[in-house]
Amino acid sequence: MANIIDGKAVSAKVKEQVRIETEALIQKHGIQPGLAVVIVGNDPASRVYVNNKKKACEAVGFKSFEYALPEETTQEELLELVDTLNKDKNVNGILVQLPVPKQIDDKAIINAIAAEKDVDAFHPENVGRIMIGEYSFLPCTPAGAMELIDSTGVEIAGKNCVVIGRSNIVGKPMAMLLLHRSGTVTICHSKTQNLAEVTRQADILVAAVGRANFVTGDMVKEGAVVIDVGINRLDNGKLCGDVNYAEVEPKASWITPVPGGVGPMTIAMLMRNTLTAAKAQNGIQD
């Protein structure tokens, strides 16, 4: 029977720490961190995420700037807005909610965001910094997953760590973060042969493949820490992760639920990144 890793509780601690530090930043230096969120079009899931980010900003004491652009917005118009936000001293973090409509090249938009304001850590400069271990920001979801692993008290150094999924947003940076902590890391993907044999070696297993109930009980080592990054909606409307919870939970030592695991951590880490950005842009070390 696994211990449940409560993402809501861990994220609440992170946000409370950010709130305390923000209050101190305002009192000592007169600086209130500001996060600009840009949403293009009317994707319902994106709208939920943007609303949640706005609520989180209010909770920790940030200024929140929302730019809701119509579906037909051109790439040039969006790039102009990003340029304006890059120059705005009240804006410390810029986030363009993905996906964007098909007429817009998301890579061009990510590259246009000033690296020091890229609180999603998607800019190539920030990705490179993560590779060499000299980063200011970490991508929010992998950073949140690491925070959850740390909350268990399980030591990462020397452990076999398997990441299923190789996306630029989760899989690759997750592998790098585990490697920086001296984990022995394997990345698995759709071309991996004998996948279950590999995953059964994992002391720490991270599932970020985007397929409902993909990880079954026979793929998990007894006593493994299982981090489920996936969030999928079943035909009946219920949310589930990439891990078949009912099968895996009895074998794992620790496991994240879906919902209530990694999900809440993503926004908490975004708040932390924005605070870090505000301090760095104002030359504040404490």
Side-chain angles (χ1 to χ4, degrees):
M1 185 75 88
N3 296 289
I4 309 303
I5 307 174
D6 186 347
K8 288 181 183 173
V10 179
S11 70
K13 281 185 189 171
V14 172
K15 284 191 280 193
E16 177 59 13
Q17 186 60 38
V18 170
R19 188 194 66 75
I20 290 166
E21 289 182 39
T22 299
E23 205 170 83
L25 192 63
I26 294 167
Q27 287 177 354
K28 284 173 68 178
H29 303 281
I31 295 162
Q32 183 180 18
L35 175 65
V37 179
V38 182
I39 179 171
V40 185
N42 303 304
D43 181 72
S46 290
R47 172 41 63 193
V48 170
Y49 290 139
V50 168
N51 289 347
N52 287 342
K53 284 163 187 168
K54 192 188 287 186
K55 283 181 199 162
C57 282
E58 287 170 14
V60 299
F62 290 178
K63 285 179 286 193
S64 175
F65 307 96
E66 183 188 312
Y67 298 85
L69 306 181
E71 184 79 28
E72 61 274 12
T73 298
T74 66
Q75 182 164 308
E76 288 68 30
E77 288 168 332
L78 184 51
L79 286 170
E80 274 180 33
L81 174 58
V82 168
D83 185 54
T84 301
L85 296 174
N86 280 340
K87 294 170 182 169
D88 188 340
K89 287 190 164 51
N90 291 310
V91 173
N92 304 112
I94 302 168
L95 186 151
V96 177
Q97 185 68 46
L98 301 177
V100 287
K102 59 182 182 298
Q103 73 272 16
I104 298 171
D105 176 7
D106 56 4
K107 283 184 186 168
I109 304 305
I110 289 165
N111 291 352
I113 296 170
E116 66 272 16
K117 294 190 178 187
D118 166 43
V119 286
D120 258 337
F122 292 166
H123 190 285
E125 182 180 323
N126 289 327
V127 173
R129 288 181 174 280
I130 292 161
M131 283 292 292
I132 61 175
E134 294 177 5
Y135 44 79
S136 301
F137 311 121
L138 293 172
C140 301
T141 300
M146 292 295 286
E147 201 81 21
L148 292 179
I149 295 169
D150 286 340
S151 77
T152 68
V154 171
E155 180 67 44
I156 294 171
K159 295 292 195 305
N160 283 331
C161 305
V162 174
V163 179
I164 312 175
R166 53 177 165 177
S167 73
N168 291 332
I169 292 173
V170 181
K172 289 178 189 172
M174 187 77 221
M176 289 310 304
L177 297 187
L178 290 164
L179 192 58
H180 288 320
R181 296 281 292 278
S182 300
T184 301
V185 183
T186 304
I187 304 177
C188 296
H189 45 77
S190 58
K191 301 287 193 296
T192 301
Q193 295 183 7
N194 305 317
L195 178 64
E197 282 180 33
V198 179
T199 57
R200 276 196 295 270
Q201 303 303 310
D203 303 305
I204 298 170
L205 179 63
V206 181
V209 72
R211 287 172 61 183
N213 296 319
F214 180 78
V215 177
T216 50
D218 63 333
M219 296 169 70
V220 177
K221 177 182 183 178
E222 198 77 43
V225 176
V226 179
I227 305 294
D228 189 351
V229 179
I231 186 151
N232 311 284
R233 197 170 288 282
L234 300 173
D235 291 340
N236 62 9
K238 285 189 175 176
L239 292 176
C240 78
D242 291 351
V243 174
N244 186 317
Y245 190 89
E247 289 187 17
V248 172
E249 187 268 338
K251 293 186 77 174
S253 60
W254 293 90
I255 191 168
T256 58
V258 176
V262 176
M265 295 302 299
T266 299
I267 290 179
M269 304 317 284
L270 175 65
M271 299 298 109
R272 181 186 281 176
N273 281 354
T274 304
L275 176 63
T276 300
K279 288 182 176 180
Q281 287 158 36
N282 289 282
I284 295 164
Q285 303 295 323
D286 59 350

